[in-house]
Amino acid sequence: FSFMAEADFKFGFIGTSTESKDFTPDLWEVTEAFRRSKGLEPEWFTGKWNGFSFYSNLEVGRVDYWQQPVIKEYLNLIDGAGGIFKVRWPESSIHFLAAMLFLHSQEMVQLVFIPYWHQNMVILPQPWVESPHKNPDGTKATAQSARQREEQQEKYTQKEL
């Protein structure tokens, strides 16, 4: 994943999903209170979170991103709130919300060049937005903002088997 270092991507993910509200009670409220207390203004996310998350079975992240003091503070707050243990707050949602708070859209990349199959989800490589960066296989990398991903979520190549 040297292309991620060269392009300064801090987080890569394979796909997205929407998490059930049964598993995320109060997660948005805890996150939103933290955001307001720190005066954070996310670059690419506005409104109220609807459970949209990264599909966490394949994520690649830079260690220095997760070790930033403000991110550690957020993760400690999430841990201390108890939702992980009481209602199974999923790491996919926590990762998405952390990315929403702390990453710019150009620091994330969807790993569309990696074929992926898990249970009933199939993601096949496809072109998205052209980027000057190259994937390891020589094809152009894709850097797509979260807003663009959300708008095109229905067009993803994910098929129920």
Side-chain angles (χ1 to χ4, degrees):
F1 291 86
S2 60
F3 84 98
M4 287 184 67
E6 291 168 10
D8 202 27
F9 291 128
K10 295 182 178 162
F11 191 80
F13 61 97
I14 193 70
T16 60
S17 63
T18 301
E19 189 62 55
S20 168
K21 292 182 183 196
D22 295 336
F23 297 120
T24 59
D26 301 325
L27 179 57
W28 171 248
E29 290 74 13
V30 170
T31 299
E32 184 62 6
F34 179 84
R35 183 196 67 76
R36 284 193 309 271
S37 75
K38 297 296 180 187
L40 299 170
E41 293 297 329
E43 173 228 348
W44 53 267
F45 183 90
T46 59
K48 185 173 180 181
W49 178 64
N50 66 357
F52 189 78
S53 300
F54 299 125
Y55 193 69
S56 63
N57 285 10
L58 186 91
E59 295 177 331
V60 179
R62 285 184 27 185
V63 173
D64 62 341
Y65 161 69
W66 293 104
Q67 291 179 336
Q68 295 176 67
V70 70
I71 296 176
K72 284 184 169 183
E73 185 179 350
Y74 171 67
L75 295 176
N76 285 335
L77 175 70
I78 292 293
D79 186 39
I84 294 170
F85 307 102
K86 294 176 187 171
V87 292
R88 197 196 69 87
W89 283 350
E91 78 281 355
S92 59
S93 298
I94 295 166
H95 292 176
F96 178 84
L97 292 170
M100 178 269 297
L101 289 173
F102 305 112
L103 288 175
H104 295 286
S105 59
Q106 69 271 17
E107 295 176 310
M108 298 181 292
V109 61
Q110 185 176 7
L111 306 170
V112 295
F113 59 89
I114 299 174
Y116 183 79
W117 176 30
H118 178 75
Q119 295 179 352
N120 64 345
M121 180 181 278
V122 176
I123 300 174
L124 302 172
Q126 63 178 296
W128 286 89
V129 177
E130 289 195 10
S131 164
H133 307 292
K134 297 271 186 196
N135 291 323
D137 66 359
T139 59
K140 288 188 175 184
T142 59
Q144 187 181 38
S145 74
R147 186 176 312 280
Q148 289 169 313
R149 280 191 301 278
E150 194 168 84
E151 289 169 358
Q152 295 183 6
Q153 179 181 10
E154 292 181 14
K155 296 180 183 179
Y156 282 5
T157 307
Q158 300 178 4
K159 299 180 180 178
E160 297 285 327
L161 296 179

